[in-house]
Amino acid sequence: MSSLTPRIRRIAATAAAVAAGSTLTMTGAAHAAPAAGPAPVAAHSGKATHSGKAVTAAPLAKGLYQSAYSDRNHVLWATASVGRPPVTNSALVKVNPHSMKVKATYTPPVTDAATGAVEAVYGVAVDDKHNTVWTTNTRNNSVAVYSQRTGKHLATLPGVNHAREVVVDERHNTAWASGFGDGSLVAFDTRTYKEKKRVTVEGAGPAGLAVNERTGTAYATDLNGNQIIEASTRTKTPRLIPTGEGPISIALSRDGRTAYTADQKAGSLSVVDLRKGAVTKSVPTGDGTLAVASDPRSRTVLVANRTAATVSLIDPRKGSVVKTVTTGANPNHIEIAHGTAYVVDKSNAGPQGEDQLNRIRVKR
């Protein structure tokens, strides 16, 4: 990692069940019917298939939720969990991003021998500095750490109420997790796995997470409060920044001065000036806006619209959609690495009902 250009990591994992009455429930284990419109990309042979030049799709596993790219190992890690408690089918999946084939799968530890329930994984982030993978175990109110080299489960860290997402700040040896259940952001030391900071906003529903590795500041979308929670290492009191309606995912610009939130209820992207603490642009994207990612090379922002089964490519400076790409049904999360976007869906489009990985090339 260059000391001159800080890496801004983001994460937009989708969790399972949430508190009753929240719009977050649409990201749960049940698969929604595909939206009307162009037919989604499907892969029926177990191999990657092409839809023109826009999207390559391949089936991975049932119950996909999120993915994270490892520069160190040149692999994509994905989480998969199926059904409601007791969840017995869950896996951490290691994927070759070029062939889009599964290299290995690792089963989380069993939590109940009587039912066969496992510590189901949902959110995911990689720590290339320590060669580990961090997951959120939403139904177990915890996060976990796995070895990237062997897939071995290294630790389970309790105390994150309805742990939804996790993001790693390698520069400051910190992993942040969002506790949707009690309005908390919890920071862990990535070397010792001990809790090092906890920030709680009463009544908040922290969902998406991003971190500015240059400053060590973490940002979370508050789904309940239509705002961003800024947790700085320099202050004890979090700063609250208004954003769009129903923010569920967040990404940062390369310089860390701008935040982008996927506003689920509004069906739009908000561009937020973090210094001014104000929304500067609002860009309609489509029904069920769910996940957002920013490409530092092209400065393009991508938004997954779950209900519409599309991904919007946005020029944030102009505040306009420059391209809309159809993916598999129910796109759930976006990860961008080296100018390529990886979108996991919940389409059941594979030959055995697997969900898909969709690969989209982002132009420079």
Side-chain angles (χ1 to χ4, degrees):
M1 174 170 52
S2 170
S3 60
L4 298 177
T5 305
R7 288 193 299 171
I8 309 275
R9 292 196 171 208
R10 49 85 51 205
I11 201 146
T14 49
V18 295
S22 170
T23 56
L24 192 61
T25 54
M26 71 177 294
T27 67
H31 296 288
V41 179
H44 298 292
S45 63
K47 299 179 180 180
T49 59
H50 299 265
S51 174
K53 296 181 180 180
V55 179
T56 303
L60 285 190
K62 294 181 179 180
L64 288 177
Y65 274 88
Q66 190 215 354
S67 69
Y69 182 81
S70 168
D71 278 306
R72 176 172 178 167
N73 299 291
H74 308 295
V75 297
L76 192 72
W77 291 93
T79 53
S81 294
V82 178
R84 301 192 179 279
V87 177
T88 59
N89 183 358
S90 181
L92 184 60
V93 185
K94 188 177 184 179
V95 182
N96 182 320
H98 303 292
S99 67
M100 300 176 74
K101 293 183 178 180
V102 175
K103 298 181 67 174
T105 59
Y106 304 101
T107 303
V110 173
T111 58
D112 187 342
T115 63
V118 297
E119 191 178 82
V121 294
Y122 296 92
V124 64
V126 298
D127 178 3
D128 278 345
K129 183 176 181 179
H130 300 101
N131 209 20
T132 56
V133 182
W134 287 67
T135 67
T136 58
N137 315 314
T138 307
R139 301 186 186 279
N140 297 96
N141 298 319
S142 64
V143 298
V145 190
Y146 294 80
S147 166
Q148 284 204 67
R149 186 175 64 86
T150 65
K152 180 182 178 181
H153 175 267
L154 301 176
T156 295
L157 313 177
V160 186
N161 193 328
H162 197 92
R164 188 174 187 273
E165 300 193 7
V166 61
V167 65
V168 173
D169 176 355
E170 291 181 0
R171 177 174 290 190
H172 297 93
N173 297 305
T174 302
W176 288 90
S178 56
F180 183 82
D182 62 3
S184 65
L185 304 181
V186 187
F188 296 94
D189 190 308
T190 53
R191 299 162 297 185
T192 65
Y193 307 152
K194 294 185 181 298
E195 183 177 323
K196 58 194 293 187
K197 187 180 181 68
R198 182 178 292 260
V199 176
T200 301
V201 177
E202 294 297 330
L209 277 177
V211 64
N212 183 331
E213 291 194 357
R214 180 171 56 86
T215 64
T217 302
Y219 299 88
T221 55
D222 175 9
L223 186 63
N224 296 342
N226 298 335
Q227 60 190 357
I228 297 169
I229 302 169
E230 179 186 86
S232 171
T233 55
R234 298 185 297 270
T235 61
K236 293 183 179 180
T237 304
R239 178 185 176 213
L240 304 178
I241 304 168
T243 189
E245 195 173 13
I248 194 167
S249 179
I250 187 170
L252 300 180
S253 61
R254 185 173 182 174
D255 61 13
R257 298 175 181 175
T258 305
Y260 311 108
T261 63
D263 305 326
Q264 187 180 55
K265 191 171 182 180
S268 64
L269 171 82
S270 288
V271 180
V272 183
D273 186 316
L274 292 173
R275 290 183 295 180
K276 295 180 180 179
V279 175
T280 60
K281 294 181 179 66
S282 181
V283 185
T285 59
D287 291 342
T289 303
L290 182 60
V292 62
S294 176
D295 178 25
R297 302 200 318 180
S298 65
R299 298 186 181 180
T300 302
V301 177
L302 277 70
V303 171
N305 308 298
R306 181 180 167 109
T307 307
T310 60
V311 169
S312 302
L313 282 71
I314 298 165
D315 183 333
R317 291 163 293 182
K318 295 180 180 179
S320 60
V321 175
V322 297
K323 187 176 183 180
T324 300
V325 177
T326 300
T327 64
N330 308 312
N332 216 55
H333 176 261
I334 305 174
E335 173 78 348
I336 298 178
H338 306 295
T340 299
Y342 299 94
V343 182
V344 294
D345 68 34
K346 301 183 77 66
S347 64
N348 296 126
Q352 278 78 49
E354 304 98 329
D355 296 327
Q356 298 181 132
L357 175 65
N358 302 265
R359 189 170 63 199
I360 302 171
R361 183 66 180 169
V362 183
K363 293 183 178 179
R364 291 179 180 270

Short mmCIF file of all heavy atoms in Angstrom, two decimals, residues 256-297:
data_model
loop_
_atom_site.label_atom_id
_atom_site.label_comp_id
_atom_site.label_asym_id
_atom_site.label_seq_id
_atom_site.Cartn_x
_atom_site.Cartn_y
_atom_site.Cartn_z
N GLY A 256 -11.54 11.17 0.05
CA GLY A 256 -12.21 11.07 1.33
C GLY A 256 -13.05 12.27 1.70
O GLY A 256 -13.58 12.34 2.81
N ARG A 257 -13.22 13.21 0.80
CA ARG A 257 -13.98 14.43 1.11
C ARG A 257 -15.46 14.31 0.78
O ARG A 257 -16.26 15.14 1.22
CB ARG A 257 -13.39 15.62 0.34
CG ARG A 257 -11.95 15.94 0.73
CD ARG A 257 -11.40 17.05 -0.14
NE ARG A 257 -10.01 17.35 0.20
CZ ARG A 257 -9.24 18.21 -0.47
NH1 ARG A 257 -9.73 18.85 -1.53
NH2 ARG A 257 -7.99 18.42 -0.09
N THR A 258 -15.82 13.29 0.01
CA THR A 258 -17.21 13.12 -0.43
C THR A 258 -17.69 11.72 -0.09
O THR A 258 -16.95 10.75 -0.24
CB THR A 258 -17.33 13.34 -1.95
OG1 THR A 258 -16.79 14.63 -2.29
CG2 THR A 258 -18.78 13.26 -2.40
N ALA A 259 -18.91 11.63 0.38
CA ALA A 259 -19.55 10.34 0.63
C ALA A 259 -20.68 10.14 -0.37
O ALA A 259 -21.33 11.10 -0.79
CB ALA A 259 -20.09 10.27 2.05
N TYR A 260 -20.91 8.89 -0.73
CA TYR A 260 -22.02 8.52 -1.60
C TYR A 260 -22.89 7.53 -0.85
O TYR A 260 -22.38 6.50 -0.38
CB TYR A 260 -21.50 7.88 -2.89
CG TYR A 260 -20.41 8.67 -3.58
CD1 TYR A 260 -19.09 8.21 -3.57
CD2 TYR A 260 -20.69 9.88 -4.21
CE1 TYR A 260 -18.08 8.93 -4.18
CE2 TYR A 260 -19.68 10.61 -4.82
CZ TYR A 260 -18.38 10.14 -4.81
OH TYR A 260 -17.37 10.87 -5.41
N THR A 261 -24.16 7.82 -0.72
CA THR A 261 -25.05 6.89 -0.03
C THR A 261 -26.12 6.35 -0.97
O THR A 261 -26.69 7.09 -1.77
CB THR A 261 -25.75 7.54 1.19
OG1 THR A 261 -26.59 8.62 0.76
CG2 THR A 261 -24.73 8.06 2.18
N ALA A 262 -26.33 5.04 -0.88
CA ALA A 262 -27.43 4.40 -1.60
C ALA A 262 -28.67 4.52 -0.74
O ALA A 262 -28.73 3.96 0.35
CB ALA A 262 -27.10 2.93 -1.87
N ASP A 263 -29.64 5.29 -1.20
CA ASP A 263 -30.83 5.60 -0.42
C ASP A 263 -31.98 4.69 -0.85
O ASP A 263 -32.64 4.92 -1.86
CB ASP A 263 -31.20 7.07 -0.59
CG ASP A 263 -30.04 8.00 -0.25
OD1 ASP A 263 -29.26 7.66 0.66
OD2 ASP A 263 -29.91 9.06 -0.90
N GLN A 264 -32.20 3.65 -0.06
CA GLN A 264 -33.12 2.58 -0.43
C GLN A 264 -34.55 3.08 -0.61
O GLN A 264 -35.23 2.73 -1.57
CB GLN A 264 -33.07 1.49 0.62
CG GLN A 264 -33.86 0.24 0.26
CD GLN A 264 -33.77 -0.80 1.35
OE1 GLN A 264 -34.07 -0.53 2.51
NE2 GLN A 264 -33.33 -2.00 1.00
N LYS A 265 -35.01 3.87 0.34
CA LYS A 265 -36.40 4.32 0.28
C LYS A 265 -36.64 5.29 -0.86
O LYS A 265 -37.68 5.27 -1.52
CB LYS A 265 -36.81 4.96 1.61
CG LYS A 265 -38.30 5.21 1.74
CD LYS A 265 -38.67 5.64 3.15
CE LYS A 265 -40.17 5.86 3.29
NZ LYS A 265 -40.53 6.27 4.67
N ALA A 266 -35.65 6.14 -1.13
CA ALA A 266 -35.79 7.15 -2.18
C ALA A 266 -35.50 6.59 -3.56
O ALA A 266 -35.92 7.18 -4.57
CB ALA A 266 -34.87 8.33 -1.89
N GLY A 267 -34.78 5.47 -3.65
CA GLY A 267 -34.38 4.94 -4.95
C GLY A 267 -33.39 5.85 -5.64
O GLY A 267 -33.49 6.10 -6.85
N SER A 268 -32.40 6.32 -4.88
CA SER A 268 -31.47 7.30 -5.43
C SER A 268 -30.11 7.22 -4.77
O SER A 268 -29.92 6.53 -3.76
CB SER A 268 -32.04 8.72 -5.26
OG SER A 268 -32.16 9.03 -3.88
N LEU A 269 -29.15 7.95 -5.34
CA LEU A 269 -27.82 8.13 -4.77
C LEU A 269 -27.70 9.56 -4.27
O LEU A 269 -28.06 10.50 -4.98
CB LEU A 269 -26.75 7.88 -5.82
CG LEU A 269 -25.32 8.25 -5.41
CD1 LEU A 269 -24.71 7.13 -4.59
CD2 LEU A 269 -24.45 8.55 -6.63
N SER A 270 -27.18 9.74 -3.06
CA SER A 270 -26.88 11.07 -2.55
C SER A 270 -25.38 11.30 -2.58
O SER A 270 -24.60 10.43 -2.21
CB SER A 270 -27.38 11.24 -1.11
OG SER A 270 -28.78 11.32 -1.05
N VAL A 271 -24.99 12.48 -3.06
CA VAL A 271 -23.60 12.92 -3.04
C VAL A 271 -23.47 13.91 -1.89
O VAL A 271 -24.16 14.94 -1.88
CB VAL A 271 -23.19 13.57 -4.37
CG1 VAL A 271 -21.73 14.02 -4.33
CG2 VAL A 271 -23.43 12.62 -5.54
N VAL A 272 -22.62 13.59 -0.91
CA VAL A 272 -22.56 14.37 0.33
C VAL A 272 -21.18 14.99 0.50
O VAL A 272 -20.17 14.28 0.50
CB VAL A 272 -22.88 13.49 1.55
CG1 VAL A 272 -22.89 14.33 2.83
CG2 VAL A 272 -24.23 12.78 1.37
N ASP A 273 -21.12 16.31 0.65
CA ASP A 273 -19.89 17.01 0.97
C ASP A 273 -19.65 16.85 2.47
O ASP A 273 -20.39 17.40 3.29
CB ASP A 273 -20.02 18.49 0.61
CG ASP A 273 -18.73 19.27 0.79
OD1 ASP A 273 -18.05 19.07 1.82
OD2 ASP A 273 -18.40 20.10 -0.08
N LEU A 274 -18.62 16.09 2.83
CA LEU A 274 -18.41 15.78 4.24
C LEU A 274 -17.89 16.96 5.04
O LEU A 274 -18.13 17.06 6.24
CB LEU A 274 -17.44 14.59 4.37
CG LEU A 274 -17.99 13.25 3.87
CD1 LEU A 274 -16.90 12.19 3.88
CD2 LEU A 274 -19.19 12.80 4.70
N ARG A 275 -17.19 17.87 4.41
CA ARG A 275 -16.71 19.04 5.14
C ARG A 275 -17.85 19.99 5.46
O ARG A 275 -17.95 20.53 6.56
CB ARG A 275 -15.62 19.75 4.33
CG ARG A 275 -14.32 18.97 4.25
CD ARG A 275 -13.25 19.74 3.50
NE ARG A 275 -13.60 19.96 2.10
CZ ARG A 275 -12.83 20.61 1.23
NH1 ARG A 275 -11.68 21.11 1.62
NH2 ARG A 275 -13.22 20.74 -0.03
N LYS A 276 -18.73 20.20 4.49
CA LYS A 276 -19.88 21.08 4.69
C LYS A 276 -21.00 20.38 5.43
O LYS A 276 -21.87 21.04 6.02
CB LYS A 276 -20.39 21.60 3.35
CG LYS A 276 -19.42 22.50 2.61
CD LYS A 276 -20.01 22.97 1.29
CE LYS A 276 -19.05 23.88 0.54
NZ LYS A 276 -19.61 24.32 -0.77
N GLY A 277 -21.03 19.05 5.39
CA GLY A 277 -22.09 18.31 6.02
C GLY A 277 -23.42 18.48 5.34
O GLY A 277 -24.46 18.62 5.99
N ALA A 278 -23.40 18.42 3.99
CA ALA A 278 -24.63 18.68 3.24
C ALA A 278 -24.66 17.85 1.96
O ALA A 278 -23.62 17.57 1.35
CB ALA A 278 -24.74 20.16 2.90
N VAL A 279 -25.88 17.49 1.53
CA VAL A 279 -26.09 16.81 0.25
C VAL A 279 -25.94 17.83 -0.87
O VAL A 279 -26.58 18.87 -0.86
CB VAL A 279 -27.48 16.15 0.20
CG1 VAL A 279 -27.73 15.55 -1.19
CG2 VAL A 279 -27.62 15.08 1.27
N THR A 280 -25.09 17.54 -1.84
CA THR A 280 -24.89 18.46 -2.96
C THR A 280 -25.63 18.01 -4.21
O THR A 280 -25.98 18.83 -5.05
CB THR A 280 -23.40 18.60 -3.29
OG1 THR A 280 -22.86 17.30 -3.63
CG2 THR A 280 -22.64 19.17 -2.10
N LYS A 281 -25.87 16.69 -4.34
CA LYS A 281 -26.61 16.17 -5.49
C LYS A 281 -27.40 14.94 -5.07
O LYS A 281 -26.98 14.19 -4.19
CB LYS A 281 -25.66 15.78 -6.64
CG LYS A 281 -24.91 16.95 -7.27
CD LYS A 281 -24.02 16.47 -8.40
CE LYS A 281 -23.28 17.63 -9.05
NZ LYS A 281 -22.31 18.25 -8.12
N SER A 282 -28.54 14.74 -5.71
CA SER A 282 -29.35 13.54 -5.53
C SER A 282 -29.66 12.99 -6.91
O SER A 282 -30.22 13.70 -7.76
CB SER A 282 -30.64 13.86 -4.78
OG SER A 282 -31.41 12.70 -4.59
N VAL A 283 -29.29 11.73 -7.14
CA VAL A 283 -29.40 11.14 -8.48
C VAL A 283 -30.34 9.94 -8.44
O VAL A 283 -30.02 8.92 -7.82
CB VAL A 283 -28.02 10.69 -8.99
CG1 VAL A 283 -28.12 10.19 -10.43
CG2 VAL A 283 -26.99 11.80 -8.86
N PRO A 284 -31.52 10.01 -9.07
CA PRO A 284 -32.41 8.85 -9.13
C PRO A 284 -31.74 7.70 -9.86
O PRO A 284 -31.11 7.90 -10.91
CB PRO A 284 -33.63 9.36 -9.91
CG PRO A 284 -33.56 10.86 -9.78
CD PRO A 284 -32.11 11.20 -9.74
N THR A 285 -31.84 6.47 -9.31
CA THR A 285 -31.17 5.33 -9.93
C THR A 285 -32.11 4.18 -10.26
O THR A 285 -31.94 3.51 -11.27
CB THR A 285 -30.05 4.80 -9.00
OG1 THR A 285 -30.62 4.42 -7.74
CG2 THR A 285 -28.98 5.86 -8.79
N GLY A 286 -33.09 3.92 -9.41
CA GLY A 286 -34.00 2.81 -9.67
C GLY A 286 -34.57 2.24 -8.39
O GLY A 286 -34.11 2.55 -7.29
N ASP A 287 -35.58 1.40 -8.54
CA ASP A 287 -36.26 0.84 -7.38
C ASP A 287 -35.34 -0.09 -6.57
O ASP A 287 -34.59 -0.88 -7.14
CB ASP A 287 -37.50 0.05 -7.81
CG ASP A 287 -38.59 0.93 -8.38
OD1 ASP A 287 -38.56 2.15 -8.11
OD2 ASP A 287 -39.48 0.41 -9.07
N GLY A 288 -35.42 0.03 -5.27
CA GLY A 288 -34.68 -0.86 -4.39
C GLY A 288 -33.20 -0.59 -4.33
O GLY A 288 -32.41 -1.53 -4.19
N THR A 289 -32.81 0.67 -4.43
CA THR A 289 -31.39 1.03 -4.33
C THR A 289 -30.80 0.41 -3.07
O THR A 289 -31.31 0.61 -1.98
CB THR A 289 -31.22 2.56 -4.29
OG1 THR A 289 -31.83 3.11 -5.46
CG2 THR A 289 -29.77 2.95 -4.24
N LEU A 290 -29.72 -0.36 -3.21
CA LEU A 290 -29.26 -1.17 -2.09
C LEU A 290 -27.78 -1.06 -1.78
O LEU A 290 -27.39 -1.06 -0.61
CB LEU A 290 -29.61 -2.64 -2.36
CG LEU A 290 -29.24 -3.65 -1.29
CD1 LEU A 290 -29.96 -3.32 0.02
CD2 LEU A 290 -29.59 -5.06 -1.74
N ALA A 291 -26.94 -0.99 -2.79
CA ALA A 291 -25.50 -1.01 -2.55
C ALA A 291 -24.81 0.02 -3.43
O ALA A 291 -25.28 0.33 -4.53
CB ALA A 291 -24.92 -2.40 -2.83
N VAL A 292 -23.67 0.54 -2.95
CA VAL A 292 -22.92 1.54 -3.70
C VAL A 292 -21.44 1.25 -3.58
O VAL A 292 -20.97 0.76 -2.55
CB VAL A 292 -23.25 2.97 -3.22
CG1 VAL A 292 -22.86 3.17 -1.76
CG2 VAL A 292 -22.57 4.03 -4.10
N ALA A 293 -20.69 1.55 -4.64
CA ALA A 293 -19.24 1.42 -4.63
C ALA A 293 -18.66 2.50 -5.52
O ALA A 293 -19.28 2.92 -6.51
CB ALA A 293 -18.80 0.04 -5.11
N SER A 294 -17.45 2.96 -5.19
CA SER A 294 -16.79 4.02 -5.94
C SER A 294 -15.51 3.48 -6.55
O SER A 294 -14.70 2.83 -5.86
CB SER A 294 -16.46 5.20 -5.01
OG SER A 294 -15.74 6.19 -5.70
N ASP A 295 -15.32 3.72 -7.85
CA ASP A 295 -14.11 3.29 -8.53
C ASP A 295 -13.09 4.42 -8.51
O ASP A 295 -13.29 5.45 -9.16
CB ASP A 295 -14.43 2.91 -9.98
CG ASP A 295 -13.19 2.51 -10.76
OD1 ASP A 295 -12.21 2.06 -10.12
OD2 ASP A 295 -13.19 2.63 -12.00
N PRO A 296 -11.98 4.28 -7.78
CA PRO A 296 -11.03 5.37 -7.66
C PRO A 296 -10.32 5.71 -8.97
O PRO A 296 -9.84 6.84 -9.15
CB PRO A 296 -10.03 4.86 -6.61
CG PRO A 296 -10.14 3.37 -6.67
CD PRO A 296 -11.56 3.09 -7.01
N ARG A 297 -10.25 4.77 -9.91
CA ARG A 297 -9.54 5.02 -11.16
C ARG A 297 -10.35 5.92 -12.09
O ARG A 297 -9.83 6.90 -12.62
CB ARG A 297 -9.21 3.70 -11.86
CG ARG A 297 -8.38 2.76 -10.99
CD ARG A 297 -7.66 1.70 -11.78
NE ARG A 297 -8.44 1.09 -12.85
CZ ARG A 297 -7.94 0.15 -13.64
NH1 ARG A 297 -6.71 -0.29 -13.48
NH2 ARG A 297 -8.69 -0.39 -14.60
#
